[in-house]
């Protein structure tokens, strides 16, 4: 398996259940950089809210995004992969403000597939009941945002390979962010 190396910090984004926690470490391994689990940056109050089925507000998310942004800033020029739902443009703008040059990998897919994956995962605080709020909040990458959209159908290895290929294509044509 060919290893691809990038000095960029890659944010693996998407709604709950798209596989950020699964794909993130696989992508980091392929890129030869460290991985940080975005959920680990949540303050305890956020986890308590989500565990109770209460969607987070923007005010709840700002400290979480700032913590992820600080990690990404510290990895600038070194590379890294971090997961974050980054559902709104404003959230991605905040991450870019902290760490200019971050690149987004937006994991996308069929809602039924994502819901099924969420229903079968164990030990995660995010209930399936919040999936509707996640989709309602989602603002896909815009043309002026550096990133790629990657379909989540198939095995984790297939999804990771698609992400690596898309990032490679993006790097070869940086003036044209793809979606």
């Amino acid at each position: 398996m060919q290893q691809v190396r990038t000095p960029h910090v890659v944010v693996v984004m998407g709604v709950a259940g798209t596989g950020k926690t699964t794909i993130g470490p696989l992508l980091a391994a392929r890129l030869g950089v460290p991985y940080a689990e975005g959920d680990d940056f949540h303050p305890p109050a956020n986890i308590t809210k989500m565990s109770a089925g209460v969607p987070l507000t923007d005010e709840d998310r700002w400290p979480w995004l700032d913590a992820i942004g600080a990690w990404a800033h510290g990895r600038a020029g070194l590379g890294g992969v971090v997961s974050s739902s980054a559902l709104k443009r404003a959230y991605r703008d905040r991450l870019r403000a902290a760490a200019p040059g971050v690149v987004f990998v937006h994991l996308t897919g069929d809602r039924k597939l994502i819901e099924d994956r969420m229903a079968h995962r164990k030990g995660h605080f995010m209930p399936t009941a919040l999936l509707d709020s996640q989709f309602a909040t989602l603002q896909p990458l815009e043309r002026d945002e550096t990133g790629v959209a990657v379909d989540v159908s198939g095995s984790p290895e297939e999804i990771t390979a698609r992400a690596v290929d898309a990032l490679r294509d993006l790097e070869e044509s940086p003036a044209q962010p793809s979606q």
Side-chain angles (χ1 to χ4, degrees):
M1 174 179 353
Q2 178 187 4
Q3 185 182 53
V4 178
R5 186 146 180 86
T6 178
H8 297 293
V9 174
V10 176
V11 178
V12 178
M13 62 167 283
V15 299
T18 53
K20 296 180 296 291
T21 299
T22 300
I23 303 306
L26 293 173
L27 183 58
R30 287 285 302 274
L31 298 176
V33 296
Y35 171 72
E37 171 54 53
D39 287 340
D40 293 345
F41 293 93
H42 273 297
N46 284 7
I47 293 172
T48 299
K49 263 183 117 167
M50 289 183 286
S51 296
V54 178
L56 298 179
T57 65
D58 286 351
E59 291 72 31
D60 295 326
R61 286 189 175 94
W62 299 138
W64 173 64
L65 290 164
D66 290 343
I68 292 171
W71 182 88
H73 178 78
R75 297 296 312 164
L78 303 171
V81 174
V82 62
S83 58
S84 168
S85 53
L87 297 176
K88 288 185 180 180
R89 170 71 186 246
Y91 304 163
R92 297 187 298 272
D93 288 346
R94 194 163 183 125
L95 292 171
R96 275 191 295 273
V102 295
V103 175
F104 294 90
V105 170
H106 180 188
L107 299 179
T108 65
D110 177 71
R111 189 191 188 291
K112 288 185 188 292
L113 172 65
I114 294 167
E115 186 174 20
D116 182 62
R117 288 181 178 173
M118 280 184 79
H120 289 93
R121 66 183 180 181
K122 306 230 183 293
H124 196 278
F125 57 81
M126 178 69 105
T128 306
L130 289 182
L131 190 55
D132 287 335
S133 74
Q134 293 258 301
F135 274 107
T137 301
L138 176 63
Q139 296 171 344
L141 290 172
E142 295 179 24
R143 294 188 67 65
D144 64 330
E145 294 183 90
T146 304
V148 296
V150 176
D151 182 72
V152 296
S153 60
S155 71
E157 293 75 19
E158 291 168 330
I159 298 164
T160 303
R162 282 196 297 272
V164 168
D165 289 346
L167 288 169
R168 184 179 296 122
D169 291 346
L170 182 65
E171 214 165 88
E172 290 172 2
S173 60
Q176 298 293 324
S178 63
Q179 293 187 19

